[in-house]
């Protein structure tokens, strides 16, 4: 067999950037699989082949060794021989791509709805992104290195499925003091992010087909988690005071749990009124329903009457409280948490111990110390000031430029507000898509519709946390031109 | 109202270790909720109350501020007043714990089976634990710090849902060279661990009620993932050559996918024979079934004929290949991966982009460089030598001490072997439980039974990777005494 020809012919079909040894390995393997190198045939000695091909002998040795370890060759005292394995494999080399392409995702995977905005879009006004330039990266890096320095050998292994005790205690202390959450460390479970928290709730608290409620418009991530768990998701309309289930809803759509964002409704930004909160708790108790309170960005309060977390409103509230460090620290950290009612603690602990193997002790210990040493609150305080200034400027610009057609809602807390059109028949999706072509990321409230029930919102979400004040005028200008374009469009039809 | 009495009475019911401010805050809150401090009542000035209670004024100020921010108090020009909120909340303070305790986990969560061995048991011979003392922690720490030093601001945000491109390329290169896996970087998806990989496969590839196959005995973690996704899990018996589905199985139990551990069957440790692999691929193609190949610890080969990964046996094999860095690096790292068939890439990428928000760029970039710089292979080579020595010693001891009643299987690769009793009617679970009381962790093969189908294995799993040779004689001695105890028990009945 002419190896040089083999190599040459083969090389034309692959990247020229491959190293000699990789090309030789692949060429020999293909030749064996194609039957050009028949079972039992003996390969040239590596020294000879290297000379013949004009490549380093090591490259040949490497290629042979790899084929040996893959089972295509075997070696005896006299050299290297082609194994019969390849011949059998050859029979399987039928036109298979067509067969395999028949395999597609499961129905439930195909049904997962797209996100309103691609996760990689982080320019103004993409919601949910904190100001990363203002995160004290150097300080975090130093803390992390210290955490690694003190890490014990056993902390390289699997960790407590509920999270590092130190971090759970720090989270409980922080939540008691800052959010009025009534909890001890053992009620806290650390997760990889709110999406994981939601997946856990969906699978732990409801069976396939069970009814659950969310707000409409509502958080798409929650909808994805619940639908992936095959729950029957019912959207309950959000009005200006937040989620507003009727007595009829409670009677006919008895939910296993209700997912709510009371501190800063996602996406509208409205705060759930105190009366509604108490009603919700009362109904939940009466019907044996759990409330899942997602408090994703309530750390940032810019005005208005402060409201304690629903979880802490009454003792033993039937509430699972969700929080995350993605907004207060940085998203890449991937640490979030849930706070369980006391009587669910044993069952949920045993469940997470069985369903997830956990680690990342260094990250969690580092975060615990970051909180304990006051760095977390210092950072929060700085961001609160920064975000409030950005909000103030954005509200001013929006009212000046667009006050005649839209009203700002949901700006008393958090990292985004909503700009709601006075004419609720406006197609916010069309406006959102047009704005995107101008480089302005403003997801439509209608992108967040849950189920078939109508909601009376037409508007856009504007995240301002990561947008410097000096960039805002141009962005609002672009947004205005999209809205002007839309008004022209509807006027002309 | 006598605040000192209030505080004193309240303090008796809580931990004495609480700070003055925390006790005062909790006591006032309880008093407001109980109605002892009625709505509209005015609190003492902080200075006065501090004096009265003999605590620092700052503690009082802190407690008041917290109650203000929680909405229990409000302040006007003349001082601090109790809000009506509490009164409404009071109505909800019925005997509620009984109501809430009615809420239990969903049926599917209750049905999750326990693990054969608690995850925190890592002493000899707990399987699945690498030798953590031998991990180059200092080198990793240095690399991680460098990775953080070079991290850009945008890398603090959400990352590519499929993982850092640099890491995916490093994994693909490694798998091609070391495991004969045929893949490019874009086929690789990085996950938080094999459990996440399995959850993803279960939800993406099959709908609730769909039949899937696994080996019996088989990996409990996979069974948990599949059952949590409400799949119909069918156990296919493993014989000495690995999984052995009959033609009847293929006809009657047509599976959506087959989960297999061909390189080192979990738990028996047997290697799936080449013929069985080719048959499996052939059948999978014929029936449009996917194979999920979990190659969890095949990096460690100690002897026997080397076998390439099933994924690389033929081009375009209908295989999803799973790997993890938990065994080769350390479990706390929480990085694993799957390699998709080319034609599933677009659909799976779009699915993970929608269902999971990802980050941890620093960790992933660090691991990519650790691989690229050769540290990973160096570490693997060292561990291979170490584990081989440990295996040799363990096999020697087992044969010497227990060779009359049991045979060692599955010791040609990986980090554990199985000790199979000649008398397959022995109750391996009872022996395993007895050994645990002597401090020896040896999960029974019957702990890994899947479904109702019988398997002909009675034996124990012994992980040796993390057990120093000098500790082995005592452990095997203990194990022997458990077996002796069991023989006495059955003889006497």
């Amino acid at each position: 067999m002419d190896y040089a020809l083999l190599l040459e012919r083969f090389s034309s079909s692959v990247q020229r950037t491959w190293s000699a040894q990789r090309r030789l390995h692949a060429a020999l393997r293909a030749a064996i699989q194609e039957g050009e190198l028949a079972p039992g045939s003996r390969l040239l000695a590596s020294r000879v082949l290297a000379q013949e091909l004009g490549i380093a002998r090591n490259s040949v040795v490497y290629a042979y060794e790899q084929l040996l370890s893959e089972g295509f060759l075997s070696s005896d005292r006299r050299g290297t021989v082609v194994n019969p394995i390849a011949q059998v494999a050859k029979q399987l080399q039928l036109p298979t791509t067509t067969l395999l392409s028949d395999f597609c995702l499961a129905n439930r995977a195909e049904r997962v709805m797209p996100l309103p905005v691609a996760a990689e879009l982080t320019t103004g006004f993409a919601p949910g992104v904190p100001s990363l330039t203002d995160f004290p990266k150097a300080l975090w890096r130093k803390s992390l290195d210290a955490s690694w320095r003190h890490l014990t050998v056993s902390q390289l292994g699997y960790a407590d499925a509920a999270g590092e005790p130190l971090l759970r205690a720090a989270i409980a202390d922080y939540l008691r003091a800052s959010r009025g959450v009534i909890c001890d460390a053992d009620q806290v479970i650390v997760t990889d992010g709110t999406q994981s928290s939601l997946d856990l709730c969906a699978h732990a608290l409801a069976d396939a087909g069970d009814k659950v409620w969310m707000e409409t418009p509502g958080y798409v991530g929650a909808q994805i988690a619940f639908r992936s768990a095959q729950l029957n998701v019912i959207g309950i309309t959000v009005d200006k005071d937040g989620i507003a289930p009727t007595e009829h809803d409670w009677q006919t759509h008895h939910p296993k749990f209700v997912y709510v964002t009371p501190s800063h409704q996602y996406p509208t930004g409205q705060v759930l009124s105190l009366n509604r909160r108490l009603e919700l708790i009362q109904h939940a108790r009466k019907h044996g329903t759990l409330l899942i309170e997602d408090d994703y960005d309530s750390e940032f309060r810019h005005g208005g009457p402060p409201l304690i977390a629903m979880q802490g409103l009454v003792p033993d509230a039937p509430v699972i409280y969700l929080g995350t460090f993605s907004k207060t620290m940085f998203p890449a950290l991937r640490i979030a948490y849930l706070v369980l009612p006391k009587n669910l603690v044993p069952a949920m602990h045993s469940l997470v111990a069985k369903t997830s193997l956990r680690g990342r002790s260094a990250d969690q210990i580092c975060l615990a110390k970051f909180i304990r040493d006051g760095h977390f609150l210092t950072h929060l305080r700085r961001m609160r000031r920064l975000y409030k200034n950005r909000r103030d400027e954005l509200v001013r610009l929006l009212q000046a430029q667009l006050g005649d057609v839209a009203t700002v809602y949901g700006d008393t807390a958090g990292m985004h507000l909503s700009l709601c059109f006075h004419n609720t028949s406006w197609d916010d999706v069309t406006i959102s898509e047009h704005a995107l072509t101008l480089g302005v990321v403003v997801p439509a409230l209608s992108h967040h519709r849950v189920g078939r029930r109508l909601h009376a919102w037409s508007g856009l979400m504007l995240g301002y946390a990561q947008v410097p004040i000096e960039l805002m005028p141009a962005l609002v200008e672009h947004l205005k031109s999209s809205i002007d374009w839309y008004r022209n469009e509807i006027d002309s039809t």
Side-chain angles (χ1 to χ4, degrees), chain A residues 61-75:
Chain A
V61 170
Y62 173 90
Y64 279 17
E65 273 182 3
Q66 206 175 329
L67 289 164
L68 277 163
S69 82
E70 291 172 1
F72 286 100
L73 300 178
S74 55
S75 64

Side-chain angles (χ1 to χ4, degrees), chain A residues 117-187:
Chain A
V117 161
E120 61 269 25
L121 289 178
T122 55
T123 52
F125 294 102
V129 188
S131 180
L132 299 177
T133 42
D134 291 287
F135 182 75
K137 200 193 95 174
L139 175 61
W140 177 255
R141 185 186 139 211
K142 214 179 109 204
S143 315
L144 197 58
D145 194 49
S147 176
W148 268 97
R149 189 167 53 239
H150 295 112
L151 207 70
T152 65
V153 165
S154 69
Q155 285 171 329
L156 291 173
Y158 294 107
D160 189 327
E164 282 297 321
L166 209 61
L167 178 58
R168 292 161 65 201
I171 290 172
D173 289 347
Y174 161 70
L175 290 178
R176 270 196 312 266
S178 301
R179 297 294 304 134
V181 171
I182 305 169
C183 68
D184 288 318
D186 71 325
Q187 289 168 262

Side-chain angles (χ1 to χ4, degrees), chain A residues 280-300:
Chain A
L280 209 49
I281 293 177
Q282 218 151 11
H283 274 104
R285 283 213 170 133
K286 194 168 136 197
H287 294 86
T289 291
L290 268 180
L291 304 173
I292 299 180
E293 174 178 26
D294 188 350
D295 210 30
Y296 62 102
D297 71 356
S298 63
E299 281 85 358
F300 307 110

Side-chain angles (χ1 to χ4, degrees), chain A residues 421-443:
Chain A
F421 302 125
H422 296 156
N423 186 339
T424 54
S425 70
W426 280 14
D427 180 4
D428 51 5
V429 172
T430 299
I431 299 174
S432 166
E433 284 166 359
H434 189 273
L436 195 58
T437 64
L438 304 181
V440 186
V441 184
V442 279

Side-chain angles (χ1 to χ4, degrees), chain A residues 202 302 489:
Chain A
H302 314 309
E489 287 287 303

Side-chain angles (χ1 to χ4, degrees), chain A residues 84 89 93 101 110 144 161 164 167 176 223 227 240 271 299 318 337 374 405 408 412 416 418 455 481:
Chain A
Q93 287 192 61
S101 65
E110 294 287 356
L144 197 58
E164 282 297 321
L167 178 58
R176 270 196 312 266
Q223 199 180 165
R227 288 205 200 276
K240 298 288 183 280
V271 176
E299 281 85 358
Y337 49 87
V405 295
V408 169
T412 57
H416 78 266
S418 63
H455 62 76
S481 63

